[in-house]
Amino acid sequence: MWDRLRGSRAAGGGRSAAAMAQRDEKVPAAAAGESEPGAGAGAGAGAGAGAGAAAERGQSGAAAPFQPPEGGFGWVVVFAAAWCNGSIFGIHNSFGILYMMLQSDLGEGEKDPALEFKTAWVGSLAMGMIFFCSPIVSIFTDRIGCRTTAATGAAIAFIGLLSSSFTKSLEVRYFTYGILFGCGSSFAFQPSLVILGHYFKRRLGLANGIVAGGSCLISVPLPFFLKMVGGAIGLAHTFQVLSALMLIQIFLSMTYRPILPPSCDSQHDGQDKLGSRSMRQQCWAQTRKYFNLRVFRRKTYRIWAFGIATAVLGYLVPYMNLVKYVEKRFQETKKDWILLVCLGAMSGLGRLVSGRIGDCIPGLKKIYLQVASFMLLGLLCMMIPQCRGFEGVIVICLFLGLCDGFFTTIMAPIAFELVGPMQASQAIGYLMGLMAVPMTAGTPIAGYLNDYFENYDAAFYFAGVPPIIGGLVLSVVPLVHQRMLKKQRLDSGKDKMLVSEAVVNGELLPGCPASEAHM
């Protein structure tokens, strides 16, 4: 899935650069002004250190604001990010082909009635680990940088895929494919969301579009490739071929060269503050720094995160079961790969289109686009068992992919609207962590229903219910936000209005203003 979150963290990187530029412009001005002796009663030693740094800057003049190159080597980074997204999610979204190959490789379909349930855990663990590791990957990216984090993740994913080729044990593949490949994918993927903000600001939308479109050039034909090559060389050699994609990604990750200037003042201030604290206080301060739960204080974010986590419970069920379903229902074994190609192609189109549409919708009203996507996605899943021919399933897959592209891409702008640009990265990281459990549990539940009812109808009906419930929950968010705005206006008056409804796509006040803390 998830060229979709690229816009959030890449834009976060760009906004961080803008924030540093604003800080650099303001600090010399502060140094030139007069300092009131008694005005800093609540500022503490950190303010004094900041004033000293400001004085030094004032002597050398205002620092030039950081400007991304808007191209150059950045286009190499765009290519590397496109390869990363296309190869990682191409493999994950093509698991329906691997799912059938795993069952054939085990050869226990008639002996073990729970084979569908057990095999589904392999792909579910891999996809779930991408989201489960997301908050942790954010910390590593901040601490050791995009390049080291991404290269290490690609290496772990390479080891996971390669080691999966040397075993036939389903339990071992839970670890090699589900855990190793899943965790490695998370560590390799997320830095690609951040690094684009180092190289683009004015052309960031264009860079994101190229990454989304370029990744589809890999992910769309991959199901066809697996269907043709997998049958000829077998499952073990297929894993080895897929591991080559991750091997290439290790070297491409070396292009993630950060160019944002370091925040010297914040580092000096942090060292001065930590130096006056005990070891216990320092550990607690560092823990709160990297595990900041401030976003959960906002009621609108809590409702939104709960709605998204509910809606994705059956998200992977079509990707996992469509190929096997059409083989059993319509005896279609030669063109079944077309379904996954349709899903991937239309998802890519949806990502390219939904960003522009979301920019035209002001404020949190753009969440209704996500609501419509979830509601339609749920209805389409329930319509799959009603199809009387293979062509009908293809039509449904086209709209399923479109809905997938819409609801995933619009996540980033909604996160900016809810929590502001300075906390959007953390908000999305925690959201992905919350999505891990339902996404991991969805396909095994569908596999259990397949084994129990001996058909796939119940699985697709099950997959359609959570998106509809999640869409209904999300539809409440703008209403709650409007009520809170009205209450804030009544309490504070017109001069202390919280935020205008006309704010577009993340252009909120940076940080967490005190007036919004209760949200």
Side-chain angles (χ1 to χ4, degrees):
M1 173 181 167
W2 299 87
D3 314 335
R4 51 233 200 286
L5 301 181
R6 172 185 315 102
S8 66
R9 301 204 174 186
R15 294 178 188 274
S16 299
M20 284 190 282
Q22 293 176 1
R23 181 204 65 201
D24 291 342
E25 293 173 354
K26 292 178 180 179
V27 168
E34 296 180 0
S35 176
E36 294 290 334
E56 293 178 1
R57 289 194 177 191
Q59 296 174 358
S60 59
F66 172 76
Q67 292 293 336
E70 302 291 351
F73 188 76
W75 297 119
V76 179
V77 177
V78 167
F79 172 77
W83 181 278
C84 174
N85 285 261
S87 58
I88 287 178
F89 290 105
I91 296 173
H92 283 284
N93 292 341
S94 301
F95 186 75
I97 305 293
L98 298 176
Y99 180 67
M100 296 173 54
M101 297 176 67
L102 283 169
Q103 291 183 341
S104 301
D105 192 56
L106 292 171
E108 301 175 358
E110 297 180 358
K111 298 180 181 179
D112 189 355
L115 184 63
E116 300 263 0
F117 173 77
K118 294 179 179 178
T119 309
W121 273 105
V122 179
S124 293
L125 281 174
M127 182 61 83
M129 291 306 296
I130 294 181
F131 298 94
F132 180 77
C133 295
S134 180
I136 302 173
V137 177
S138 300
I139 298 174
F140 276 89
T141 302
D142 292 339
R143 296 293 289 179
I144 65 178
C146 295
R147 179 161 45 186
T148 304
T149 303
T152 303
I156 295 174
F158 166 74
I159 294 172
L161 286 174
L162 186 62
S163 58
S164 297
S165 66
F166 296 109
T167 180
K168 287 193 174 183
S169 171
L170 203 58
E171 289 74 15
V172 174
R173 281 172 174 158
Y174 287 157
F175 175 74
T176 58
Y177 187 93
I179 304 299
L180 285 183
F181 176 57
C183 289
S185 297
S186 183
F187 276 77
F189 164 65
Q190 289 199 51
S192 70
L193 308 178
V194 179
I195 194 64
L196 290 181
H198 290 238
Y199 289 88
F200 298 94
K201 181 180 180 182
R202 180 172 53 86
R203 294 182 175 179
L204 186 58
L206 174 62
N208 287 324
I210 294 175
V211 171
S215 64
C216 289
L217 297 179
I218 302 175
S219 60
V220 169
L222 192 58
F224 171 75
F225 174 80
L226 291 178
K227 185 70 175 180
M228 298 297 102
V229 176
I233 65 177
L235 181 60
H237 293 297
T238 300
F239 278 127
Q240 294 173 6
V241 171
L242 292 177
S243 67
L245 298 177
M246 293 295 100
L247 180 62
I248 297 173
Q249 181 57 37
I250 296 176
F251 297 100
L252 291 178
S253 299
M254 299 300 178
T255 64
Y256 294 173
R257 183 181 63 194
I259 59 174
L260 284 176
S263 177
C264 299
D265 290 347
S266 60
Q267 292 177 0
H268 291 317
D269 293 348
Q271 291 175 358
D272 293 340
K273 291 180 180 180
L274 290 176
S276 61
R277 298 179 181 180
S278 65
M279 182 63 68
R280 181 179 179 181
Q281 290 175 328
Q282 292 182 25
C283 293
W284 176 245
Q286 292 295 316
T287 302
R288 292 188 62 183
K289 177 181 178 181
Y290 293 107
F291 292 94
N292 189 355
L293 301 178
R294 183 182 297 174
V295 293
F296 287 101
R297 298 177 185 174
R298 300 170 183 259
K299 185 177 181 180
T300 49
Y301 175 78
R302 294 198 303 267
I303 298 174
W304 181 64
F306 173 76
I308 296 290
T310 302
V312 298
L313 178 60
Y315 172 79
L316 293 177
V317 173
Y319 289 98
M320 191 82 68
N321 295 283
L322 269 173
V323 175
K324 196 71 177 290
Y325 169 75
V326 297
E327 285 195 0
K328 286 189 174 181
R329 180 75 178 269
F330 306 110
Q331 288 75 45
E332 181 60 63
T333 59
K334 295 182 179 181
K335 299 180 180 180
D336 48 5
W337 54 269
I338 295 178
L339 301 177
L340 297 181
V341 171
C342 291
L343 283 171
M346 293 303 294
S347 178
L349 178 62
R351 294 169 196 155
L352 294 173
V353 174
S354 59
R356 175 61 64 182
I357 296 177
D359 289 341
C360 299
I361 303 176
L364 274 180
K365 292 181 180 179
K366 59 173 59 68
I367 205 171
Y368 290 119
L369 187 63
Q370 201 171 44
V371 171
S373 299
F374 275 129
M375 300 286 283
L376 184 58
L377 190 147
L379 292 175
L380 289 170
C381 285
M382 293 182 174
M383 290 173 61
I384 292 176
Q386 308 300 322
C387 293
R388 302 304 179 191
F390 179 66
E391 294 75 12
V393 181
I394 292 178
V395 174
I396 288 181
C397 286
L398 292 173
F399 286 98
L400 277 175
L402 196 63
C403 292
D404 170 72
F406 267 76
F407 94 77
T408 53
T409 303
I410 208 68
M411 280 185 180
I414 293 174
F416 277 96
E417 296 288 352
L418 288 172
V419 302
M422 304 304 291
Q423 299 184 70
S425 179
Q426 288 185 347
I428 294 173
Y430 288 127
L431 174 65
M432 293 177 71
L434 292 173
M435 292 167 62
V437 175
M439 289 195 76
T440 304
T443 47
I445 294 175
Y448 174 79
L449 294 174
N450 295 340
D451 294 330
Y452 185 82
F453 293 101
E454 297 183 352
N455 62 63
Y456 289 87
D457 293 358
F460 288 116
Y461 288 132
F462 158 75
V465 173
I468 295 176
I469 297 177
L472 293 175
V473 173
L474 294 178
S475 64
V476 179
V477 175
L479 302 178
V480 174
H481 184 68
Q482 290 297 324
R483 289 184 57 186
M484 299 180 74
L485 285 178
K486 290 180 181 179
K487 182 179 179 181
Q488 183 67 26
R489 290 176 183 134
L490 292 175
D491 294 341
S492 303
K494 294 182 179 180
D495 294 334
K496 296 182 179 180
M497 186 178 299
L498 177 62
V499 65
S500 174
E501 295 180 9
V503 175
V504 178
N505 211 22
E507 296 296 329
L508 299 179
L509 296 176
C512 181
S515 58
E516 293 184 354
H518 66 285
M519 293 179 62

